[in-house]
Amino acid sequence: MIKLRYSKRLFKRSSSSKQQQQAAACGGDNGVGGGAGEIEWEVRPGGMLVQKRDGRGGQEMVTVRVSTGFSWHDVSIAATSTFGELKVMLSMITGLEPREQRLLFRGKERDDTDHLHMVGVRDKDKVLLLEDPALKDMKLRALSGQVVRSRASLLSKCNSDQPAVVLTITTTY
């Protein structure tokens, strides 16, 4: 954060004695030498240097409703956060790793580097969370491979006079 000093005298239209008395009563400059106030500046994600807004006690928070198809989660996050940061928060809630998640807002998949406020996410907006189909397929294939291996090991351990336990798993895509 960059703070610049300026003279309040530069921004006054007239310097009547009544205004000077009011400023002195409020703890402002006493008419001598023009008191110094501070302007606070901030750098926006796009790289623009702008004057910091008053009335915000820190960052503006938005509540985003994230729908996973069968359930939803309300997540409070800073408006200037990225979709990647939202994925990290969702990984704590859903158990899906950020690389396994796909976030859609207004019908488009958003990159991890896209900022929420830059694409128009506002308070109480809905974001759709999908599991990456390629990674989901890889997980299912690995799981079915483990089941087949465990099934084969069970069958090899069984004697011919003992009944075998058969487990079948079907996967649909």
Side-chain angles (χ1 to χ4, degrees), residues 12-33:
K12 290 184 179 180
R13 289 196 173 160
S14 65
S15 59
S16 67
S17 62
K18 186 175 182 180
Q19 288 176 345
Q20 288 177 354
Q21 289 172 357
Q22 287 176 348
C26 294
D29 66 313
N30 54 7
V32 180

Side-chain angles (χ1 to χ4, degrees), residues 93-172:
I93 297 169
T94 62
L96 287 174
E97 292 295 320
R99 66 181 182 86
E100 299 173 354
Q101 300 175 13
R102 297 290 173 253
L103 293 177
L104 284 90
F105 179 67
R106 292 187 181 161
K108 295 181 183 176
E109 183 177 347
R110 301 300 175 168
D111 291 332
D112 289 350
T113 57
D114 289 344
H115 290 269
L116 298 174
H117 71 289
M118 297 295 272
V119 297
V121 176
R122 291 192 170 71
D123 197 31
K124 304 224 183 342
D125 276 353
K126 187 175 179 182
V127 174
L128 184 63
L129 169 66
L130 299 175
E131 188 175 356
D132 185 13
L135 291 173
K136 188 176 185 179
D137 184 42
M138 287 173 36
K139 277 184 182 178
L140 287 174
R141 287 177 192 241
L143 180 64
S144 66
Q146 289 174 355
V147 169
V148 168
R149 278 186 246 119
S150 65
R151 181 176 157 192
S153 67
L154 278 174
L155 290 175
S156 67
K157 289 180 183 179
C158 291
N159 293 336
S160 61
D161 47 319
Q162 293 180 349
V165 177
V166 177
L167 176 65
T168 59
I169 295 180
T170 58
T171 57
T172 58

